[in-house]
Amino acid sequence: MLRPLFLYLSRNDLARRFVMGFPLARRASLRFVAGETLDDAMAAVRAFQARGIHATMDHLGENVYNEADTRRAADEYVELLERIHQEGGWNGHIPHCSVKLTQLGLDIGPDLAEENLERVVAKAQEIGTFVRIDMESSDYTDATLEIYRRLRSRYDNLGVVIQAYLYRSERDVRQLIEEGIANIRLCKGAYKEPPTIAFPKKADVNTNFVNLMELLLSREALEKGAYLAVATHDEKMIAATRAWEAAHQVPRDRFEFQMLHGIRRDLQEKLAAEGYTVRIYIPYGTEWYPYFMRRLAERPANVWFIVSNLFRR
Ligand code: FDA
């Protein structure tokens, strides 16, 4: 019952202004967000690196409606990439970055978002790293996949996200495999979607997640160059992936596990210690509100956990 409430609040401007003006909320967001500055984010990336865990960095922001602000958002990603390059010392595991197309202007128009994204992807290519386009709500799925296809024909350091809760995802995955461009992060899906578009029951989302994982790690998909990032904290999804890997001798360089900063650190470390590639999604910046609300929606018990911790100090 609380999930729809938090997802509604994530899009509500009044609630955003109220929560962001509340210093305790900012402190609470730090469970999931590395901090407000690039320095905070780089420190988090280095701490993971020291434990053999890789990173994808997200400069928070979404639904930006002002063109100049979208260009600034792209500039900030270019600066982030330059900083990664300048710092060096990545031992072959340079951080990736993750971007949202509505931060880069998709609400204004697809051409603007594509132009901004291209600047980021070109810079990433120049320094030898990878960009993944996050998937937002279903209003943007078609446009996101179109922009992915167009840019992917010119840059191979680009991947996209597929959400297991959408009915359409199996078709999208099959097409991307067929086209030889299935570099996919598979997740369950974090937005509010109607039952006409998305499986309303968690059990069905989980079944579809496993089906899509098996499709993406099938021999046919691997022969066509598929690469899969299994993005979940659900031990059942992880066990299913490992079972498929063992049964079909899937090479470990064809998939990785991804998790969010602040969630299931024990599991992150366990998988990394077992020799899997583990990549953590590290968000930073001042626009933490909608991201934070989606994390609360996924597990409303977080609210009580956070409140009790805040008052324990
Ligand atoms: P599920 O929700 O079933 O949770 C399984 C277990 O994980 C829980 O029992 C709990 O232990 C733990 N857990 C999960 N969420 C938690 C939370 N918020 N706080 C504390 N514990 C939690 N979505 C999307 O729509 N577009 C995208 O681009 C992305 N990108 C993305 C990147 C990465 C690296 C990850 C890991 C996830 C995403 N997501 C996403 C979010 C994803 O769709 C999904 O909402 C969350 O991962 C939660 O789902 P789980 O698969 O973890 O399963």
Side-chain angles (χ1 to χ4, degrees), residues 57 68 114 117 156 199 279 290 303:
M57 301 176 72
E114 184 174 337
L117 178 63
D156 60 8
F199 293 103
R279 189 175 309 280
V303 177

Side-chain angles (χ1 to χ4, degrees), residues 28 30-32 262-263 292 296 299-313:
L30 293 175
R31 153 125 197 239
F32 302 109
I263 303 180
F292 181 47
L296 296 183
R299 195 161 173 264
N302 282 335
V303 177
W304 314 121
F305 175 82
I306 285 169
V307 168
S308 61
N309 272 295
L310 286 175
F311 288 105
R312 201 173 292 156
R313 292 182 178 194

Side-chain angles (χ1 to χ4, degrees), residues 3 31-32 56 100 133-137 161 163 165 185-191 202 206 209 230-237 258-260 262-264 279-281 294-299 302:
R3 182 175 188 270
R31 153 125 197 239
F32 302 109
T56 182
K100 287 190 173 49
I133 312 173
D134 286 346
M135 190 59 84
E136 301 177 69
S137 72
V161 176
Q163 297 153 321
Y165 65 11
R185 173 198 295 153
L186 178 63
C187 66
K188 291 190 185 179
Y191 296 82
K202 216 164 176 176
N206 291 348
F209 191 105
V230 181
T232 182
H233 319 89
D234 185 338
E235 296 194 48
K236 292 191 296 299
M237 303 300 105
Q258 294 193 351
M259 295 187 209
L260 300 176
I263 303 180
R264 293 302 310 264
R279 189 175 309 280
I280 304 304
Y281 187 98
R294 288 196 294 275
R295 301 295 76 82
L296 296 183
E298 281 156 4
R299 195 161 173 264
N302 282 335

Side-chain angles (χ1 to χ4, degrees), residues 148-149 152 175-184 224:
Y148 173 62
R149 284 189 166 94
R152 182 57 209 241
Q175 280 172 359
L176 292 168
I177 291 173
E178 195 48 44
E179 292 164 42
I181 54 168
N183 189 322
I184 290 177
K224 285 186 162 284

